[in-house]
Structure formats: structure tokens, C-alpha cells
Amino acid sequence: MPAECIEILRFWYKHQKNQVRWAGALSDEYSLQCGVRQGGLSSPTLFNLYINQLIEELSGIHLGCYIDGQCVNNLSYADDMVLLSPSIGGLRKLVAVCESYAEAHGLVYNAKKSEILVFKAGKRTPSFVPPITLNGSVLKIVCKFKYLGHIVTADLKDDEDIQRERRALAVRCNMLARRFARCTGEVKITLFKAFCQSFYSSGLWVSYTRRAYSALRVQYNNAFRALMQLPRFCSASGMFADARTDGFHAIMRKKASSLLRRMRASSNSVLRAIAARPDCPIQNHWIGIVTGQIK
């Protein structure tokens, strides 16, 4: 990298000033001693350069879970990292690598925001899990946690994440129905597509109860009825056909297909290994909803 660019970044970060705005008032200026600029266009690249060595060290020890011979012991998105290991001893070694890297590079892990989740093997779960420490603090063992907005549970069921999305959908559709009640039907349909058809992380839903899935479908249908001011018991398929808008099942098929396609085309070896397996849960789920076996 040209020395001039490095000096520009060094000068930029050394002389940046920060203020806190609260109730219309600004605090005194203060300097920021660590971290990248939040929201800065260069920040993701700079952080990746900073943290990439840790990811290489973790992957290089070849300790953890394996998929078709591919070591998968850490998943990282920005500063959110998940460590994966089939044993407590392996997990301790992975945590030790992170602690050493943090100490050498001026980082501090927050033990209060770090948790341990033990996945069940079928219906079996260990009766005792030896403690694991981070920075001298024993990490809390939980039965679920939220990673990048998606709720992961010990039994790998998706009911709780579907409920999360159903509650979020209810909030969004109520907001639209309240604020845009006097808009034209065309405007309402455009808003509905933008705010109510995202179904965040729905492509990952492969194991759930019919009750949770149906509750989300009913919420989606009722949201459209409320926004368009349609009768409560009008035909769902008919109203979506008239509005030329995808129904619930059409969206679920597209979401699952899109995720599977992107996984197969990804340059990430882990994603390609998962997508290529004949027992890939996402692929089997997609086949089920396309063939009508899952409703």
C-alpha cells in the first residue's frame, strides 16, 4: 500500500474529534483512541485487515468442526464471532487463541456479551458442561442466542425465530395501516412489498412446527387485508392475485431458492460444501415447499 495513503489514514484517525449529541445539545470534543469510524466507507476494509490474522490463526490450527473435510471452527461477521467445536477442550483452545490475539493487538473481549450454546444430539444433552472462561470470567451457558438478528436454539428449531419475525411483521404492518390509510392502493402495495415481504433470514428456516409457520402466514395475510382495508375473511389467494403481489408460500419458495442458489455460487468454500451435500437441510426444505410436501 502506498506510504502516502497510510499517512493519510494515520493523520485522519490521530486528529479526528468526536462529540455526543443529546436533546439538541453537544458535548465537549474528545478524541477516539481505538476502533474505526462508525459508518465510514473505509471502516469495513480497515477492520477486515485488522482482524483477518485472527481468523487465519483460528482456521490454521485445524481444530473444531468439519464438513466434508473442511474445517469450520469460526464464523465471523465484522466483530461478531462464533467459535465451533465438538469438545470443551477444543473450544478452550480456540478461546485461548482469541485471548492471545486480543492481548497482542489492543483488543478487549466483553465476557458479559459472550455466551456458550451446547447443541443437542437428537434429544440428548450433557448433564454437566465444564466451565469455559474468557478474560478470567466464566461464560454463561444459554439455551438460545441471537446471532446477526437470527435466533439460534440448542435444538436447532426455528419456531422462536419465526415468532420473532411474526412480531416484527405485526409492528411494521400496523405502522403502515395507521400512517398510510389515505394513500392510493398502488402506493399501499408498493409499501407492503418494501416493508412486509423481507422475512429476514427466512431462507434458513428448515425445522419448525406447523403452528408457528401458519401463525406467520395468517399474520402476513391479515397485514395485507388491514392495509388495503379488505374484508377480514376474503380469499387470500384472490386478493394477492388481484394486487399482482406474491402470497406467503410464493415468497417462502423464492427465499429458499435464492439462498440455495447464492450458496452454490459463493466463493466461500464452507458455503459451497454445505450446499453440495445431498443431505443439505436447506435443499431438502426447498424441495419440500416446491413439491407441496411442506405447507
Side-chain angles (χ1 to χ4, degrees):
M1 188 173 183
E4 293 82 2
C5 294
I6 296 177
E7 289 303 319
I8 289 175
L9 291 171
R10 189 196 308 276
F11 180 87
W12 186 13
Y13 273 90
K14 184 177 180 180
H15 293 86
Q16 68 176 342
K17 299 296 181 181
N18 302 271
Q19 288 179 292
V20 176
R21 183 188 299 276
W22 181 263
L26 287 175
S27 69
D28 295 334
E29 290 186 349
Y30 63 94
S31 60
L32 191 64
Q33 301 299 325
C34 63
V36 293
R37 293 166 57 90
Q38 186 172 1
L41 296 178
S42 62
S43 296
T45 300
L46 292 174
F47 186 81
N48 286 343
L49 292 171
Y50 191 77
I51 208 69
N52 188 61
Q53 183 182 344
L54 172 60
I55 297 175
E56 290 180 348
E57 289 184 14
L58 289 169
S59 302
I61 62 176
H62 302 293
L63 179 68
C65 298
Y66 278 79
I67 299 177
D68 287 346
Q70 177 76 33
C71 181
V72 185
N73 60 13
N74 73 93
L75 303 174
S76 300
Y77 185 87
D79 60 343
D80 291 316
M81 176 176 283
V82 171
L83 302 178
L84 300 170
S85 174
S87 67
I88 293 296
L91 189 57
R92 284 174 173 168
K93 292 181 179 179
L94 294 175
V95 171
V97 172
C98 293
E99 289 178 322
S100 299
Y101 187 88
E103 183 178 357
H105 293 79
L107 295 172
V108 178
Y109 284 104
N110 190 338
K112 294 182 179 180
K113 292 185 177 181
S114 302
E115 300 169 330
I116 297 175
L117 178 66
V118 180
F119 292 104
K120 294 181 179 179
K123 296 183 178 181
R124 295 178 300 171
T125 183
S127 57
F128 172 73
V129 179
I132 296 179
T133 60
L134 177 64
N135 296 334
S137 300
V138 177
L139 297 181
K140 180 182 179 182
I141 299 176
V142 298
C143 60
K144 63 180 179 180
F145 74 96
K146 183 180 287 188
Y147 183 62
L148 303 180
H150 181 86
I151 297 178
V152 182
T153 61
D155 57 4
L156 292 177
K157 300 293 184 181
D158 297 309
D159 286 31
E160 293 210 33
D161 196 63
I162 292 176
Q163 292 174 11
R164 170 200 58 77
E165 184 60 24
R166 183 182 60 80
R167 291 190 294 267
L169 176 62
V171 172
R172 293 195 298 270
C173 69
N174 288 336
M175 178 272 294
L176 292 178
R178 183 175 66 254
R179 295 185 180 181
F180 302 97
R182 298 183 180 180
C183 290
T184 63
E186 183 178 356
V187 171
K188 290 180 178 179
I189 292 173
T190 301
L191 290 171
F192 183 81
K193 291 180 178 179
F195 287 90
C196 299
Q197 290 188 341
S198 59
F199 291 116
Y200 178 73
S201 76
S202 60
L204 297 173
W205 298 339
V206 296
S207 178
Y208 47 79
T209 61
R210 184 183 296 272
R211 179 179 180 181
Y213 199 66
S214 296
L216 179 61
R217 176 183 57 80
V218 171
Q219 182 68 60
Y220 176 79
N221 294 344
N222 288 339
F224 191 78
R225 291 189 181 100
L227 181 61
M228 303 302 295
Q229 298 177 344
L230 297 173
R232 182 178 179 182
F233 297 104
C234 67
S235 170
S237 58
M239 69 181 183
F240 286 124
D242 292 340
R244 296 184 178 180
T245 302
D246 284 339
F248 179 78
H249 293 298
I251 292 178
M252 292 298 106
R253 289 194 296 269
K254 289 182 178 180
K255 292 289 185 180
S257 177
S258 174
L259 178 60
L260 191 61
R261 174 181 55 81
R262 286 181 285 125
M263 288 174 62
R264 289 174 173 172
S266 174
S267 59
N268 187 289
S269 59
V270 175
L271 293 180
R272 290 203 311 270
I274 295 174
R277 289 182 62 92
D279 60 346
C280 174
I282 298 175
Q283 175 178 274
N284 294 335
H285 178 259
W286 176 76
I287 293 174
I289 59 178
V290 168
T291 58
Q293 299 177 18
I294 299 176
K295 298 181 179 180

